[in-house]
Amino acid sequence: MVKTEKIDSTQERILAAAKRVFLEQGMAGARMQDIADKAGINKALLHYYFRNKDKLFETIFKEVSSQFFPKITDVIESDMPLFGKIERFCSEYIDMLQKNSFMPMFVLSEVHKQPQRFKERFWKNMGPVLARFVGEIEVEMKKNKIKKMSAGQLFLNMVSLCIFPFIAKPLWMVSSGMDEARFKQFMEERKKEVPKFIIESIKN
Amino acid sequence: MVKTEKIDSTQERILAAAKRVFLEQGMAGARMQDIADKAGINKALLHYYFRNKDKLFETIFKEVSSQFFPKITDVIESDMPLFGKIERFCSEYIDMLQKNSFMPMFVLSEVHKQPQRFKERFWKNMGPVLARFVGEIEVEMKKNKIKKMSAGQLFLNMVSLCIFPFIAKPLWMVSSGMDEARFKQFMEERKKEVPKFIIESIKN
DNA sequence: ATCTTTGTTAACCTTTTGGTTAAACTATAT
DNA sequence: ATATAGTTTAACCAAAAGGTTAACAAAGAT
């Protein structure tokens, strides 16, 4: 029906605008007026759809963060060899971040400012996912396929190498003189470089 | 003289308070009243010392960011072998960040929000520093001491592994269940783990 | 002693910002 | 046609936040 279509389109325009503004400015820096403008609507209408800034933010944060925490499960449960899994994880994760390059800064910055709130509202069953990956790594170590090292450190290395470049992107572009296209290409190379770098380091 | 001492002590209390608040909340989230309270003074006095929020922020940002951008020069110009330099760089940098763990998120988040402003006001002669390090790496590659790879990628890997853990610290603590002490220990181990990880990967 | 400069405060002003209201418009069902 | 429920807006409000003023205190300089 026409009605539903229109409701959806307005709501979607709001969500799209809110996402853009929140990702760029963060919760504290975002202005409701700015969101309304970018959605092409009146500010009151914003409050009609989402009672207040907090509710709107939470909606966006939920959506964005659910994407940010990668579904490692798929990769782990596949029956590839460990190195293949690392390759796939890095490559797919970097690829996803490339399409949402503001995501890491947004999520981590907000968690940074309100870790307690984050823990209470968003941290459901993320623990097991990490634990499973760490577990698998430890198995490979015992089988002597890879060097002995802290699985936690290795995991942190992996995500650091994938995520950090997007957090440092503006700084990196300014200091290296790369433009958007060149940066994209640089990240493209990284999809292969990062897993190679990791595997080279841990293989026995 | 007594006079100067008192001026300094008030100004220093302001700067200390401002640093704390800006590092925790960022420019947009920081409140002048909050800074005044934490410095134990009237809000008007804040404006007496620093004309406005922007000026105060700039003062803090300058100070913090100058620390954040490490003086690689020292390390590079020393006549250690490359691997020694990498070890020293990582270890010293992680050590410094451990004493200022909010620094990375603060600097990068602000650069992220206003890259243009940052470029104009703060980006003086940082280029050469990076270039020099990259240059040295390329020399080692030609001497076949290390594997051939993009020096830019390698440099980005290095800083990623050093900096990212502090950006993800709150998230990591929540998801791994580490407390402050355990995290500190974890980072302590990292001072050796990171350079080891890198060297293991690049050595020929 | 008193004049001047510097430091400090309480009270006030202005702008920004999140949020509300009441009225108008739209579409659909009766 | 008209009642009704949902959508949209202009105008408004209250609180928060940045910033200013004018008066007062402290310390030196004359």
Side-chain angles (χ1 to χ4, degrees):
Chain A
M1 355 160 187
V2 178
K3 196 177 157 190
T4 322
E5 271 174 34
K6 209 179 178 191
I7 290 174
D8 282 356
S9 99
T10 299
Q11 194 160 338
E12 273 162 29
R13 288 209 334 270
I14 291 176
L15 285 171
K19 192 170 168 179
R20 217 177 114 196
V21 175
F22 278 132
L23 281 165
E24 273 175 38
Q25 306 295 330
M27 165 69 169
R31 300 290 156 236
M32 295 297 269
Q33 187 61 59
D34 191 17
I35 296 174
D37 290 348
K38 290 208 166 67
I41 56 160
N42 189 289
K43 201 179 51 160
L45 195 55
L46 204 55
H47 287 86
Y48 174 75
Y49 278 91
F50 301 88
R51 235 175 285 303
N52 53 41
K53 194 182 180 183
D54 236 64
K55 289 264 195 303
L56 180 55
F57 173 79
E58 202 136 319
T59 307
I60 299 292
F61 188 84
K62 231 172 221 158
E63 191 217 305
V64 174
S65 68
S66 73
Q67 267 192 64
F68 177 72
F69 299 111
K71 296 169 193 43
I72 313 186
T73 326
D74 305 351
V75 183
I76 297 170
E77 280 176 349
S78 72
D79 55 357
M80 302 171 105
L82 179 66
F83 290 172
K85 285 180 187 178
I86 292 176
E87 271 164 21
R88 202 181 131 198
F89 171 84
C90 294
S91 148
E92 281 179 15
Y93 198 36
I94 291 175
D95 193 66
M96 190 277 284
L97 293 179
Q98 216 170 336
K99 287 163 193 146
N100 305 274
S101 67
F102 277 18
M103 190 188 273
M105 180 54 89
F106 172 68
V107 174
L108 291 171
S109 168
E110 296 303 334
V111 175
H112 189 263
K113 276 162 203 159
Q114 310 202 20
Q116 200 46 48
R117 174 180 170 169
F118 170 79
K119 186 178 184 176
E120 285 158 6
R121 304 196 196 177
F122 300 103
W123 200 248
K124 321 273 184 202
N125 55 28
M126 293 285 176
V129 175
L130 198 158
R132 188 180 291 186
F133 190 68
V134 170
E136 170 152 8
I137 289 171
E138 278 166 352
V139 167
E140 295 297 305
M141 282 180 196
K142 276 178 189 148
K143 284 198 282 182
N144 247 352
K145 299 267 185 183
I146 61 179
K147 294 189 186 108
K148 281 198 175 44
M149 72 177 289
S150 153
Q153 300 278 5
L154 175 54
F155 181 74
L156 186 51
N157 288 351
M158 250 178 74
V159 294
S160 297
L161 292 168
C162 292
I163 299 173
F164 184 78
F166 296 97
I167 287 175
K169 178 179 173 185
L171 181 57
W172 185 261
M173 284 174 70
V174 166
S175 55
S176 70
M178 286 185 183
D179 61 6
E180 197 66 47
R182 182 74 188 80
F183 184 80
K184 194 186 165 185
Q185 192 200 328
F186 190 61
M187 285 304 121
E188 206 56 46
E189 293 163 16
R190 236 179 135 67
K191 286 195 213 165
K192 293 196 165 182
E193 281 294 333
V194 166
K196 199 170 120 192
F197 188 81
I198 296 170
I199 290 167
E200 208 62 47
S201 180
I202 63 176
K203 74 176 181 201
N204 234 339
Chain B
M1 352 159 189
V2 179
K3 195 177 162 189
T4 323
E5 272 174 34
K6 209 181 178 191
I7 291 175
D8 282 356
S9 99
T10 299
Q11 194 160 338
E12 273 162 29
R13 287 206 339 268
I14 292 177
L15 286 171
K19 191 170 169 180
R20 216 177 117 197
V21 175
F22 277 132
L23 280 165
E24 272 174 39
Q25 306 295 330
M27 164 70 168
R31 298 289 105 108
M32 295 297 269
Q33 187 61 60
D34 191 17
I35 295 173
D37 291 346
K38 290 208 164 69
I41 56 161
N42 189 289
K43 200 178 48 157
L45 195 55
L46 205 54
H47 287 86
Y48 175 76
Y49 279 92
F50 301 89
R51 234 174 289 301
N52 54 40
K53 194 182 179 182
D54 236 65
K55 289 265 195 305
L56 181 54
F57 173 78
E58 203 136 316
T59 306
I60 299 292
F61 188 84
K62 230 171 222 158
E63 190 217 307
V64 174
S65 68
S66 74
Q67 266 193 64
F68 177 71
F69 299 112
K71 296 168 192 45
I72 313 185
T73 326
D74 304 352
V75 183
I76 296 169
E77 281 177 347
S78 73
D79 55 357
M80 303 172 105
L82 179 67
F83 290 172
K85 286 181 186 177
I86 291 177
E87 271 164 20
R88 201 179 133 199
F89 171 85
C90 294
S91 149
E92 280 179 16
Y93 198 37
I94 291 175
D95 193 65
M96 189 277 283
L97 293 179
Q98 216 170 336
K99 287 162 192 148
N100 305 274
S101 68
F102 277 19
M103 190 188 274
M105 179 56 89
F106 171 68
V107 174
L108 291 171
S109 167
E110 296 303 334
V111 176
H112 189 263
K113 277 163 202 157
Q114 309 202 20
Q116 199 47 48
R117 174 180 170 170
F118 170 79
K119 186 178 185 176
E120 285 158 6
R121 304 197 197 176
F122 300 102
W123 200 249
K124 321 271 183 203
N125 55 26
M126 293 285 177
V129 176
L130 198 157
R132 187 180 293 186
F133 191 68
V134 170
E136 171 152 7
I137 289 171
E138 278 167 352
V139 167
E140 295 297 305
M141 282 181 196
K142 276 178 189 149
K143 284 198 283 184
N144 246 353
K145 300 265 184 186
I146 60 179
K147 294 189 185 108
K148 282 197 175 47
M149 73 177 288
S150 153
Q153 298 280 4
L154 175 54
F155 181 74
L156 185 51
N157 288 351
M158 252 180 71
V159 294
S160 298
L161 292 168
C162 292
I163 300 174
F164 184 78
F166 296 98
I167 287 175
K169 178 178 172 184
L171 181 57
W172 184 263
M173 284 174 71
V174 166
S175 55
S176 70
M178 285 185 183
D179 60 7
E180 198 65 46
R182 182 73 188 80
F183 183 80
K184 194 186 165 185
Q185 192 199 327
F186 190 62
M187 285 305 120
E188 206 56 47
E189 292 162 17
R190 236 178 134 68
K191 285 194 215 165
K192 293 197 165 181
E193 281 294 333
V194 165
K196 199 169 120 193
F197 187 80
I198 295 170
I199 290 167
E200 208 61 49
S201 179
I202 64 176
K203 75 177 178 198
N204 234 337

